[in-house]
Structures are given as structure tokens and as C-alpha cells.
Amino acid sequence: MTGWIIAFALAGLTLGGLLLLGRIPRSAREVSAAALLLGLAGYVWQGNPGLAGAPRKAAAAEGQDFDEELAEKRRGLAERFGPAAQWMMLSDGLARQGKTKEAANVLLSALRDRPDDANLWLGLGNALVAHGDGMLSPGAQFAYRRALAIDPDGPAPRYFYGLALAQAGQLQAARDLWVPLAARAPEDSDVRKELEANIARIDAMLAGETIRRP
């Protein structure tokens, strides 16, 4: 009941403020009153003032979504030193705090000065995927493709673009990126074993889809 009283009291105070302080003309008073009544009607229709307040904790305070293992793998495949590494460390620090938008913006700033740096484009792709909760957005795809165009023989763009494609359900596109990468990787390396296992899973899933088709 208290919620309804507060809602109507606020509406009355707002109208009084408009009349006394806003000095709105007489011709606009009816319109203003109608707007407030319309807002109250919407609140009556959908509002639920009896619910207890439960504000959500910001993700920035927790920073639980940052994938340390994936970041370490990126550092192993791509940047370790140089200007790109410094920007990536700053971006990773923001991402650990849950500030995924700021993490991507840092890399955009870096790319204004270094537009041909494949590591920065790759980092931007990963940051945009993280900001989209795993969704491969057009912006992320553009960033990955730029990294791949600048460094077509580098393992990192192929690995991470393929990973994003696989998570988005684009299995054949991921396979096309991973097969040549696995073939070039050292025979006993963990990356090659992982890629071969992923490719085998993709082949099984694609075969299953083919069987299910009429």
C-alpha cells in the first residue's frame, strides 16, 4: 500500500512543481496533467510496489567472467612484448573488473595509432565477444578478419577466430580455420592436440546434422 501512496504523492508534487515553479501556461496544464495520469495508469497496470527491493550487484565489482586460462593462451600464441602487449595488459585489467566495454575501448584507442597491429585487432575481437557475453557480433567478426588479413600465417588469429565461430555454432567455418593451423602446429604440442580434438568433435557434429537431414 505504501508504494501506491508514494506514487500518487510524487505525481501530485510533480504537478504542483510544474504549476508553481515551472510556471507553465494555462493551455499546457491539461496536457501536463494528462501525461502524469497516463504514467500513473501504466504504473497501476504493470507496477508491483509490494516487491522487495533487490538491487543487482554490478559485474564490475566481481570480475568473475574473465577467463584467465584463455588470456594466458592468447599471450602464448600472440603478444608477449612490445606496445601491443602493454595495451592488452591494460585491457585485461579492466576486463577482470567486469568493465568489458572499457576493455574494448582501450584497444580501439590503441588501434587509432597502430591500425596495422594484428594483436590489437585480435584483442579487440576477443574483448567484443566478452562484452557480448560470448556472442560473435559483426564488430567482433570484423576485428578477427582484420587480424587474419594482417597476419594470415599467425596462429593466434586463426585459433581465436575459430573458437568464436565454433561457440557461435558456425562449425564448418571454424573447422576451415583450424585444419591448416593444426597441420602446422608442432606434432606433440598441446595446441595441436586440442585442435585435433576440437576438429574431431566438429566432424562428429556435422556428420550428425547430415544424418538428421531428410
Side-chain angles (χ1 to χ4, degrees):
M1 186 65 183
T2 305
W4 301 116
I5 295 172
I6 293 173
F8 282 97
L10 287 174
L13 288 173
T14 301
L15 183 59
L18 289 173
L19 293 174
L20 297 176
L21 301 177
R23 299 184 183 278
I24 58 175
R26 185 180 299 273
S27 59
R29 292 178 184 177
E30 292 183 1
V31 176
S32 301
L36 285 171
L37 288 173
L38 185 62
L40 282 174
Y43 183 70
V44 170
W45 178 37
Q46 292 196 348
N48 194 345
L51 288 176
R56 294 181 59 188
K57 292 182 180 179
E62 301 179 3
Q64 295 178 346
D65 293 332
F66 185 77
D67 194 329
E68 293 285 357
E69 184 178 349
L70 202 62
E72 181 58 32
K73 186 170 292 184
R74 188 201 67 227
R75 287 189 287 269
L77 290 172
E79 90 293 335
R80 279 286 184 182
F81 307 102
Q86 298 172 14
W87 286 105
M88 295 298 300
M89 287 175 61
L90 177 57
S91 177
D92 286 350
L94 290 166
R96 285 187 183 92
Q97 302 173 50
K99 299 177 180 179
T100 54
K101 180 179 179 180
E102 290 82 353
N105 285 338
V106 160
L107 298 175
L108 280 173
S109 299
L111 281 164
R112 293 190 185 99
D113 295 328
R114 302 177 61 84
D116 295 326
D117 194 310
N119 286 328
L120 290 176
W121 281 111
L122 172 62
L124 178 61
N126 290 340
L128 290 173
V129 169
H131 182 59
D133 292 328
M135 184 183 70
L136 181 61
S137 65
Q141 288 212 56
F142 177 82
Y144 284 129
R145 288 171 181 167
R146 284 292 297 146
L148 195 57
I150 294 169
D151 187 14
D153 296 325
R158 284 183 174 272
Y159 177 86
F160 284 99
Y161 189 18
L163 185 62
L165 287 167
Q167 291 173 342
Q170 301 181 41
L171 301 180
Q172 185 61 56
R175 187 185 191 280
D176 292 342
L177 285 172
W178 279 345
V179 167
L181 179 58
R184 293 200 306 265
E187 196 162 329
D188 294 329
S189 66
D190 292 337
V191 170
R192 179 162 184 164
K193 293 175 183 177
E194 178 189 344
L195 288 171
E196 288 176 344
N198 289 343
I199 291 167
R201 280 194 288 269
I202 286 176
D203 287 343
M205 293 171 72
L206 291 175
E209 289 179 1
T210 301
I211 292 172
R212 287 195 295 271
R213 287 172 188 165

